Amino acid sequence: MLNQQTLDQLWDFDDPALSEARFRAAVSEDRYDADERAELTTQLGRAIGLQGRYEEADALLDAIDGEEPTVAVRVLLERGRVLNSSGHPEMAVPLFEQAAELADHLGEEFLAVDALHMLAIADAAHAETWTRSALEYASTVHDERTKRWIVSLHNNLGWTLHDAGRCTEAMVEFQLAEQWAERVGTPRQQELAREAIQAC
């Protein structure tokens, strides 16, 4: 299966149309096997969904052979994201729960944290609980790319608390996000962490 760094190189979340073009090109390359192409296709579906073409994304995800377990996790994740983005978060929640459980069972730590992070977004009433679960999970991993989730999770939790008027607790989370961003984060994450502290 593909490592996350390979997918990271194809993604530009600020430009989902460009990401779509890159994934379309990658899917047609001979160097990937059938399972890897299926994995790339899940990300193509995500890129299409980010452009608001939900039915097209859903149809693409429907057509993927999800027998390989990691591909199955990604299909669940991307189906959930499409549902959440299209205004159906309550329908997305069970898909993210299945994705988190299966990813954990497979030892796919990055995807397990991703699913927990999406649960916090889709199940807003329990956002704090889901985010703390994701942080607890991410704190036990050794992979540096997966640890980068800790930055985003502290930042997200900070905004959840900030929006609830719990500004002192929010500041703690933003400061933790900054500390982790300095350790394992990207320059963009470091910038966002500083901005969040100033805003708070």
Side-chain angles (χ1 to χ4, degrees):
M1 300 309 295
L2 299 169
N3 63 38
Q4 188 57 41
Q5 284 81 354
T6 300
L7 299 177
D8 288 344
Q9 289 166 3
L10 294 168
W11 265 113
D12 181 345
F13 286 103
D14 292 326
D15 191 344
L18 173 62
S19 300
E20 177 188 351
R22 288 175 177 171
F23 282 111
R24 282 195 190 282
V27 166
S28 66
E29 290 181 22
D30 292 337
R31 61 184 166 134
Y32 298 114
D33 66 25
D35 288 337
E36 289 169 337
R37 283 198 293 276
E39 203 170 3
L40 289 163
T41 303
T42 67
Q43 301 308 286
L44 174 59
R46 184 178 182 181
I48 291 168
L50 282 171
Q51 296 172 72
R53 289 150 51 201
Y54 303 124
E55 288 184 14
E56 185 181 343
D58 211 31
L60 187 68
L61 293 167
D62 268 347
I64 294 171
D65 178 359
E67 283 195 19
E68 199 288 321
T70 300
V71 173
V73 173
R74 289 199 180 274
V75 169
L76 286 166
L77 265 171
E78 302 316 332
R79 278 190 186 290
R81 277 196 250 264
V82 168
L83 283 166
N84 185 66
S85 297
S86 62
H88 304 286
E90 70 291 340
M91 293 170 67
V93 168
L95 298 183
F96 293 139
E97 288 178 324
Q98 288 176 53
E101 188 176 335
L102 181 54
D104 178 44
H105 178 70
L106 295 171
E108 291 280 7
E109 296 172 331
F110 181 90
L111 297 179
V113 179
D114 191 357
L116 291 168
H117 136 268
M118 287 307 303
L119 276 164
I121 293 169
D123 186 9
H126 303 100
E128 183 177 349
T129 303
W130 287 121
T131 306
R132 292 196 186 282
S133 294
L135 278 164
E136 186 178 346
Y137 192 102
S139 70
T140 67
V141 306
H142 300 290
D143 173 57
E144 287 291 305
R145 177 64 186 88
T146 304
K147 276 199 178 297
R148 202 186 300 162
W149 271 117
I150 296 174
V151 183
S152 303
L153 292 164
H154 277 301
N155 185 65
N156 291 356
L157 183 53
W159 286 115
T160 298
L161 295 168
H162 182 274
D163 292 345
R166 295 158 63 185
C167 294
T168 303
E169 294 169 85
M171 181 60 87
V172 171
E173 296 301 327
F174 291 140
Q175 288 170 337
L176 285 166
E178 184 183 38
Q179 289 168 22
W180 277 99
E182 294 299 328
R183 285 173 60 183
V184 299
T186 64
R188 179 62 178 151
Q189 283 182 311
Q190 293 165 10
E191 181 186 348
L192 287 171
R194 289 189 293 271
E195 287 175 3
I197 288 171
Q198 289 171 355
C200 190

